[in-house]
Amino acid sequence: AGHSGKHVCKVNVHLCGAPCKLRGRSGCLEGCAKVTNHEGDDHQCAANTHACGEPCVLSSLTLADGSKCGCKGRCRISIDIEHETHQCGAQYCPIPCQLCKRLCLSHNHLHMLEQNADHLCGEPHSCARRCGAEGICEIQMIPDSIEETFKGMHECFQYTKYSQVARRLKCVKLISPGQLSHEGSHNHSFDPDVTHYCQERCTGCQYYCTLKMGHSKEHETSHGSMSNMRWSVDVPDEEGFELNGRRFATNDDGAPMMCSLVCKAFGRHVHVDDCRAETPDECQGNYEIQHIGKRMRPNPDLPKDYVTHKLFWRRSGFKDPYLREEQANFAKWYVKPQEHVVSVRVLLTSINQVIPCAPALSTTYLGESLMTHFVFSLFSTHR
């Protein structure tokens, strides 16, 4: 009882019992239900339906992540019915939700074969996108500090490296059930007046400006280790130069120094920057600029100028981080005739633009009446 097909109730009739020609198919009753010694070799059991039995069409399909769907079911469609798509008896979509790890809510096993089908679990989801508002969502005002090893041409030593932590936060909006995304923009807060910080970064330390996005003042930040810089020294590499008891050479990492301290360590000084003049006359008559007539590393093919500390920071777009008394001391330099030539000792360099420059000027030189001062700049490792 409970089998498919007709009942055989003639007790005085012996059945063939030979293996059914469709033996192995789903629903097969195995033994031939015809009478003994029936004509031909067409042995067939009493089942009304024999399933196709081929692997489900989803067994070999590739998912978006490259993995196989891997359905292990067998086609349950009758072998007597002509069909091209093999479908097992499963009543659910085996594909995970596109927004979480739960299964798709659809009861159609072949849901993934539908054009532009979306696989969703029917539950609300948190938006995984980042805030799309202009600016930086969060800046930690207390910098990260880690112990690093400086490996230069002349020495190795331990120092504390300071870096800023800035984040673009995740969107706080919920995605409604049955939807792939929410309406409107991505925001990290429901407060319409939440602060986003300026996106400008200091060339030397890569710290973001800590003022509100869209401000109209000079950029401001606390400054950190000059990890985006490398030294350029205007003396033979084997000699190097000494600063704060440490010796540096050209292409040494600038990270042991900080943007807000390095100028103070040098004292009275000028910086080096790209020459921005289009004609030779533009380099003359400006007390804040003196053209450099010789080739200077890095990028010796690019002409360069000596510039004042004040002009250097003004060009950077960031507020000068030094005290007014220190700035006044840094500014004590002027142009003087050739008989008093400054001894250029050190350069710590950072240039972001490649600009046409004027030929070298030989009529004026930097000088200082009582003391020789240092010259340096900040040349970025990424031009």
PDB file of all heavy atoms in Angstrom, residues 288-311:
ATOM      1  N   GLU A 288      61.383  88.028  -0.553  1.00  0.00           N
ATOM      2  CA  GLU A 288      61.038  86.720  -0.010  1.00  0.00           C
ATOM      3  C   GLU A 288      61.525  85.569  -0.890  1.00  0.00           C
ATOM      4  O   GLU A 288      61.366  84.415  -0.518  1.00  0.00           O
ATOM      5  CB  GLU A 288      59.517  86.612   0.172  1.00  0.00           C
ATOM      6  CG  GLU A 288      58.954  87.479   1.286  1.00  0.00           C
ATOM      7  CD  GLU A 288      57.515  87.123   1.604  1.00  0.00           C
ATOM      8  OE1 GLU A 288      56.641  87.307   0.737  1.00  0.00           O
ATOM      9  OE2 GLU A 288      57.274  86.654   2.729  1.00  0.00           O
ATOM     10  N   ILE A 289      62.104  85.874  -2.040  1.00  0.00           N
ATOM     11  CA  ILE A 289      62.522  84.836  -2.987  1.00  0.00           C
ATOM     12  C   ILE A 289      63.927  85.127  -3.492  1.00  0.00           C
ATOM     13  O   ILE A 289      64.268  86.272  -3.782  1.00  0.00           O
ATOM     14  CB  ILE A 289      61.564  84.758  -4.202  1.00  0.00           C
ATOM     15  CG1 ILE A 289      60.139  84.404  -3.744  1.00  0.00           C
ATOM     16  CG2 ILE A 289      62.060  83.746  -5.220  1.00  0.00           C
ATOM     17  CD1 ILE A 289      59.133  84.440  -4.865  1.00  0.00           C
ATOM     18  N   GLN A 290      64.757  84.114  -3.602  1.00  0.00           N
ATOM     19  CA  GLN A 290      66.057  84.216  -4.264  1.00  0.00           C
ATOM     20  C   GLN A 290      66.258  82.968  -5.124  1.00  0.00           C
ATOM     21  O   GLN A 290      66.172  81.846  -4.630  1.00  0.00           O
ATOM     22  CB  GLN A 290      67.187  84.309  -3.240  1.00  0.00           C
ATOM     23  CG  GLN A 290      68.564  84.148  -3.840  1.00  0.00           C
ATOM     24  CD  GLN A 290      68.900  85.255  -4.836  1.00  0.00           C
ATOM     25  OE1 GLN A 290      68.837  86.421  -4.473  1.00  0.00           O
ATOM     26  NE2 GLN A 290      69.224  84.907  -6.048  1.00  0.00           N
ATOM     27  N   HIS A 291      66.459  83.163  -6.420  1.00  0.00           N
ATOM     28  CA  HIS A 291      66.627  82.025  -7.322  1.00  0.00           C
ATOM     29  C   HIS A 291      67.931  81.294  -7.017  1.00  0.00           C
ATOM     30  O   HIS A 291      68.946  81.896  -6.690  1.00  0.00           O
ATOM     31  CB  HIS A 291      66.621  82.496  -8.772  1.00  0.00           C
ATOM     32  CG  HIS A 291      66.534  81.360  -9.755  1.00  0.00           C
ATOM     33  ND1 HIS A 291      65.361  80.703 -10.022  1.00  0.00           N
ATOM     34  CD2 HIS A 291      67.495  80.749 -10.499  1.00  0.00           C
ATOM     35  CE1 HIS A 291      65.584  79.752 -10.908  1.00  0.00           C
ATOM     36  NE2 HIS A 291      66.869  79.752 -11.204  1.00  0.00           N
ATOM     37  N   ILE A 292      67.918  79.974  -7.119  1.00  0.00           N
ATOM     38  CA  ILE A 292      69.094  79.142  -6.906  1.00  0.00           C
ATOM     39  C   ILE A 292      69.691  78.801  -8.262  1.00  0.00           C
ATOM     40  O   ILE A 292      69.026  78.196  -9.105  1.00  0.00           O
ATOM     41  CB  ILE A 292      68.726  77.849  -6.151  1.00  0.00           C
ATOM     42  CG1 ILE A 292      68.085  78.192  -4.801  1.00  0.00           C
ATOM     43  CG2 ILE A 292      69.956  76.964  -5.948  1.00  0.00           C
ATOM     44  CD1 ILE A 292      67.548  76.984  -4.054  1.00  0.00           C
ATOM     45  N   GLY A 293      70.940  79.171  -8.486  1.00  0.00           N
ATOM     46  CA  GLY A 293      71.543  79.000  -9.797  1.00  0.00           C
ATOM     47  C   GLY A 293      72.065  77.600 -10.064  1.00  0.00           C
ATOM     48  O   GLY A 293      72.319  77.247 -11.212  1.00  0.00           O
ATOM     49  N   LYS A 294      72.228  76.781  -9.034  1.00  0.00           N
ATOM     50  CA  LYS A 294      72.811  75.451  -9.242  1.00  0.00           C
ATOM     51  C   LYS A 294      71.739  74.372  -9.183  1.00  0.00           C
ATOM     52  O   LYS A 294      70.619  74.588  -8.720  1.00  0.00           O
ATOM     53  CB  LYS A 294      73.881  75.178  -8.187  1.00  0.00           C
ATOM     54  CG  LYS A 294      73.337  75.134  -6.777  1.00  0.00           C
ATOM     55  CD  LYS A 294      74.462  74.840  -5.801  1.00  0.00           C
ATOM     56  CE  LYS A 294      73.931  74.795  -4.370  1.00  0.00           C
ATOM     57  NZ  LYS A 294      75.003  74.492  -3.410  1.00  0.00           N
ATOM     58  N   ARG A 295      72.100  73.203  -9.663  1.00  0.00           N
ATOM     59  CA  ARG A 295      71.203  72.044  -9.600  1.00  0.00           C
ATOM     60  C   ARG A 295      71.168  71.539  -8.161  1.00  0.00           C
ATOM     61  O   ARG A 295      72.181  71.481  -7.483  1.00  0.00           O
ATOM     62  CB  ARG A 295      71.695  70.937 -10.527  1.00  0.00           C
ATOM     63  CG  ARG A 295      71.549  71.283 -11.989  1.00  0.00           C
ATOM     64  CD  ARG A 295      72.479  70.425 -12.854  1.00  0.00           C
ATOM     65  NE  ARG A 295      72.221  69.000 -12.686  1.00  0.00           N
ATOM     66  CZ  ARG A 295      71.336  68.298 -13.412  1.00  0.00           C
ATOM     67  NH1 ARG A 295      70.616  68.929 -14.337  1.00  0.00           N
ATOM     68  NH2 ARG A 295      71.171  67.015 -13.232  1.00  0.00           N
ATOM     69  N   MET A 296      69.971  71.143  -7.735  1.00  0.00           N
ATOM     70  CA  MET A 296      69.811  70.745  -6.344  1.00  0.00           C
ATOM     71  C   MET A 296      68.925  69.504  -6.255  1.00  0.00           C
ATOM     72  O   MET A 296      67.863  69.441  -6.877  1.00  0.00           O
ATOM     73  CB  MET A 296      69.189  71.897  -5.549  1.00  0.00           C
ATOM     74  CG  MET A 296      69.059  71.629  -4.069  1.00  0.00           C
ATOM     75  SD  MET A 296      68.516  73.103  -3.178  1.00  0.00           S
ATOM     76  CE  MET A 296      69.988  74.106  -3.324  1.00  0.00           C
ATOM     77  N   ARG A 297      69.391  68.503  -5.543  1.00  0.00           N
ATOM     78  CA  ARG A 297      68.594  67.309  -5.317  1.00  0.00           C
ATOM     79  C   ARG A 297      67.544  67.565  -4.233  1.00  0.00           C
ATOM     80  O   ARG A 297      67.768  68.394  -3.338  1.00  0.00           O
ATOM     81  CB  ARG A 297      69.494  66.141  -4.906  1.00  0.00           C
ATOM     82  CG  ARG A 297      70.479  65.703  -5.951  1.00  0.00           C
ATOM     83  CD  ARG A 297      71.283  64.503  -5.474  1.00  0.00           C
ATOM     84  NE  ARG A 297      72.035  64.816  -4.257  1.00  0.00           N
ATOM     85  CZ  ARG A 297      72.646  63.896  -3.511  1.00  0.00           C
ATOM     86  NH1 ARG A 297      72.592  62.610  -3.854  1.00  0.00           N
ATOM     87  NH2 ARG A 297      73.303  64.246  -2.429  1.00  0.00           N
ATOM     88  N   PRO A 298      66.405  66.814  -4.296  1.00  0.00           N
ATOM     89  CA  PRO A 298      66.037  65.831  -5.325  1.00  0.00           C
ATOM     90  C   PRO A 298      65.534  66.509  -6.587  1.00  0.00           C
ATOM     91  O   PRO A 298      65.303  67.717  -6.604  1.00  0.00           O
ATOM     92  CB  PRO A 298      64.915  65.047  -4.643  1.00  0.00           C
ATOM     93  CG  PRO A 298      64.264  66.040  -3.738  1.00  0.00           C
ATOM     94  CD  PRO A 298      65.371  66.919  -3.241  1.00  0.00           C
ATOM     95  N   ASN A 299      65.378  65.738  -7.630  1.00  0.00           N
ATOM     96  CA  ASN A 299      64.934  66.243  -8.931  1.00  0.00           C
ATOM     97  C   ASN A 299      65.780  67.433  -9.378  1.00  0.00           C
ATOM     98  O   ASN A 299      65.288  68.554  -9.505  1.00  0.00           O
ATOM     99  CB  ASN A 299      63.451  66.648  -8.871  1.00  0.00           C
ATOM    100  CG  ASN A 299      62.559  65.519  -8.399  1.00  0.00           C
ATOM    101  OD1 ASN A 299      62.560  64.435  -8.949  1.00  0.00           O
ATOM    102  ND2 ASN A 299      61.805  65.777  -7.331  1.00  0.00           N
ATOM    103  N   PRO A 300      67.069  67.204  -9.594  1.00  0.00           N
ATOM    104  CA  PRO A 300      67.986  68.306  -9.909  1.00  0.00           C
ATOM    105  C   PRO A 300      67.649  69.054 -11.196  1.00  0.00           C
ATOM    106  O   PRO A 300      68.134  70.175 -11.393  1.00  0.00           O
ATOM    107  CB  PRO A 300      69.347  67.597 -10.011  1.00  0.00           C
ATOM    108  CG  PRO A 300      69.020  66.169 -10.312  1.00  0.00           C
ATOM    109  CD  PRO A 300      67.743  65.889  -9.590  1.00  0.00           C
ATOM    110  N   ASP A 301      66.831  68.459 -12.067  1.00  0.00           N
ATOM    111  CA  ASP A 301      66.469  69.153 -13.313  1.00  0.00           C
ATOM    112  C   ASP A 301      65.399  70.214 -13.101  1.00  0.00           C
ATOM    113  O   ASP A 301      65.129  71.015 -14.014  1.00  0.00           O
ATOM    114  CB  ASP A 301      65.979  68.141 -14.359  1.00  0.00           C
ATOM    115  CG  ASP A 301      67.087  67.215 -14.835  1.00  0.00           C
ATOM    116  OD1 ASP A 301      68.259  67.641 -14.776  1.00  0.00           O
ATOM    117  OD2 ASP A 301      66.787  66.086 -15.244  1.00  0.00           O
ATOM    118  N   LEU A 302      64.770  70.234 -11.935  1.00  0.00           N
ATOM    119  CA  LEU A 302      63.757  71.251 -11.639  1.00  0.00           C
ATOM    120  C   LEU A 302      64.409  72.449 -10.956  1.00  0.00           C
ATOM    121  O   LEU A 302      65.014  72.306  -9.899  1.00  0.00           O
ATOM    122  CB  LEU A 302      62.667  70.672 -10.728  1.00  0.00           C
ATOM    123  CG  LEU A 302      61.792  69.567 -11.323  1.00  0.00           C
ATOM    124  CD1 LEU A 302      60.799  69.084 -10.267  1.00  0.00           C
ATOM    125  CD2 LEU A 302      61.040  70.082 -12.540  1.00  0.00           C
ATOM    126  N   PRO A 303      64.304  73.652 -11.532  1.00  0.00           N
ATOM    127  CA  PRO A 303      64.872  74.856 -10.904  1.00  0.00           C
ATOM    128  C   PRO A 303      64.174  75.151  -9.583  1.00  0.00           C
ATOM    129  O   PRO A 303      62.983  74.888  -9.416  1.00  0.00           O
ATOM    130  CB  PRO A 303      64.598  75.955 -11.928  1.00  0.00           C
ATOM    131  CG  PRO A 303      64.277  75.247 -13.202  1.00  0.00           C
ATOM    132  CD  PRO A 303      63.658  73.951 -12.827  1.00  0.00           C
ATOM    133  N   LYS A 304      64.938  75.721  -8.655  1.00  0.00           N
ATOM    134  CA  LYS A 304      64.399  75.975  -7.323  1.00  0.00           C
ATOM    135  C   LYS A 304      64.769  77.370  -6.831  1.00  0.00           C
ATOM    136  O   LYS A 304      65.690  78.016  -7.355  1.00  0.00           O
ATOM    137  CB  LYS A 304      64.905  74.910  -6.352  1.00  0.00           C
ATOM    138  CG  LYS A 304      64.497  73.494  -6.750  1.00  0.00           C
ATOM    139  CD  LYS A 304      65.108  72.457  -5.844  1.00  0.00           C
ATOM    140  CE  LYS A 304      64.679  71.052  -6.255  1.00  0.00           C
ATOM    141  NZ  LYS A 304      65.232  70.655  -7.559  1.00  0.00           N
ATOM    142  N   ASP A 305      64.041  77.811  -5.809  1.00  0.00           N
ATOM    143  CA  ASP A 305      64.278  79.116  -5.183  1.00  0.00           C
ATOM    144  C   ASP A 305      64.467  78.937  -3.691  1.00  0.00           C
ATOM    145  O   ASP A 305      63.886  78.037  -3.076  1.00  0.00           O
ATOM    146  CB  ASP A 305      63.075  80.050  -5.389  1.00  0.00           C
ATOM    147  CG  ASP A 305      62.911  80.503  -6.827  1.00  0.00           C
ATOM    148  OD1 ASP A 305      63.919  80.539  -7.572  1.00  0.00           O
ATOM    149  OD2 ASP A 305      61.768  80.817  -7.208  1.00  0.00           O
ATOM    150  N   TYR A 306      65.257  79.859  -3.087  1.00  0.00           N
ATOM    151  CA  TYR A 306      65.205  80.043  -1.654  1.00  0.00           C
ATOM    152  C   TYR A 306      63.992  80.906  -1.363  1.00  0.00           C
ATOM    153  O   TYR A 306      63.750  81.907  -2.033  1.00  0.00           O
ATOM    154  CB  TYR A 306      66.451  80.754  -1.137  1.00  0.00           C
ATOM    155  CG  TYR A 306      67.736  80.016  -1.372  1.00  0.00           C
ATOM    156  CD1 TYR A 306      68.789  80.630  -2.050  1.00  0.00           C
ATOM    157  CD2 TYR A 306      67.925  78.718  -0.894  1.00  0.00           C
ATOM    158  CE1 TYR A 306      69.988  79.964  -2.260  1.00  0.00           C
ATOM    159  CE2 TYR A 306      69.113  78.051  -1.104  1.00  0.00           C
ATOM    160  CZ  TYR A 306      70.143  78.681  -1.792  1.00  0.00           C
ATOM    161  OH  TYR A 306      71.318  78.024  -2.005  1.00  0.00           O
ATOM    162  N   VAL A 307      63.214  80.534  -0.367  1.00  0.00           N
ATOM    163  CA  VAL A 307      62.051  81.334   0.024  1.00  0.00           C
ATOM    164  C   VAL A 307      62.054  81.500   1.538  1.00  0.00           C
ATOM    165  O   VAL A 307      62.593  80.670   2.269  1.00  0.00           O
ATOM    166  CB  VAL A 307      60.718  80.682  -0.435  1.00  0.00           C
ATOM    167  CG1 VAL A 307      60.679  80.543  -1.935  1.00  0.00           C
ATOM    168  CG2 VAL A 307      60.491  79.342   0.246  1.00  0.00           C
ATOM    169  N   THR A 308      61.453  82.579   2.009  1.00  0.00           N
ATOM    170  CA  THR A 308      61.394  82.814   3.446  1.00  0.00           C
ATOM    171  C   THR A 308      60.487  81.799   4.132  1.00  0.00           C
ATOM    172  O   THR A 308      59.613  81.189   3.509  1.00  0.00           O
ATOM    173  CB  THR A 308      60.848  84.219   3.748  1.00  0.00           C
ATOM    174  OG1 THR A 308      59.506  84.305   3.258  1.00  0.00           O
ATOM    175  CG2 THR A 308      61.703  85.295   3.099  1.00  0.00           C
ATOM    176  N   HIS A 309      60.712  81.651   5.411  1.00  0.00           N
ATOM    177  CA  HIS A 309      59.853  80.798   6.234  1.00  0.00           C
ATOM    178  C   HIS A 309      58.398  81.244   6.104  1.00  0.00           C
ATOM    179  O   HIS A 309      57.486  80.411   5.948  1.00  0.00           O
ATOM    180  CB  HIS A 309      60.309  80.884   7.694  1.00  0.00           C
ATOM    181  CG  HIS A 309      59.414  80.193   8.668  1.00  0.00           C
ATOM    182  ND1 HIS A 309      59.590  78.894   9.078  1.00  0.00           N
ATOM    183  CD2 HIS A 309      58.297  80.651   9.320  1.00  0.00           C
ATOM    184  CE1 HIS A 309      58.642  78.567   9.931  1.00  0.00           C
ATOM    185  NE2 HIS A 309      57.842  79.613  10.109  1.00  0.00           N
ATOM    186  N   LYS A 310      58.171  82.537   6.126  1.00  0.00           N
ATOM    187  CA  LYS A 310      56.807  83.073   6.046  1.00  0.00           C
ATOM    188  C   LYS A 310      56.150  82.720   4.722  1.00  0.00           C
ATOM    189  O   LYS A 310      54.993  82.274   4.677  1.00  0.00           O
ATOM    190  CB  LYS A 310      56.838  84.595   6.229  1.00  0.00           C
ATOM    191  CG  LYS A 310      55.479  85.264   6.177  1.00  0.00           C
ATOM    192  CD  LYS A 310      55.611  86.763   6.399  1.00  0.00           C
ATOM    193  CE  LYS A 310      54.246  87.442   6.353  1.00  0.00           C
ATOM    194  NZ  LYS A 310      54.371  88.917   6.574  1.00  0.00           N
ATOM    195  N   LEU A 311      56.875  82.872   3.622  1.00  0.00           N
ATOM    196  CA  LEU A 311      56.317  82.556   2.306  1.00  0.00           C
ATOM    197  C   LEU A 311      56.087  81.056   2.163  1.00  0.00           C
ATOM    198  O   LEU A 311      55.096  80.631   1.571  1.00  0.00           O
ATOM    199  CB  LEU A 311      57.261  83.045   1.202  1.00  0.00           C
ATOM    200  CG  LEU A 311      56.820  82.721  -0.237  1.00  0.00           C
ATOM    201  CD1 LEU A 311      55.451  83.324  -0.532  1.00  0.00           C
ATOM    202  CD2 LEU A 311      57.868  83.212  -1.235  1.00  0.00           C
TER     203      LEU A 311
END
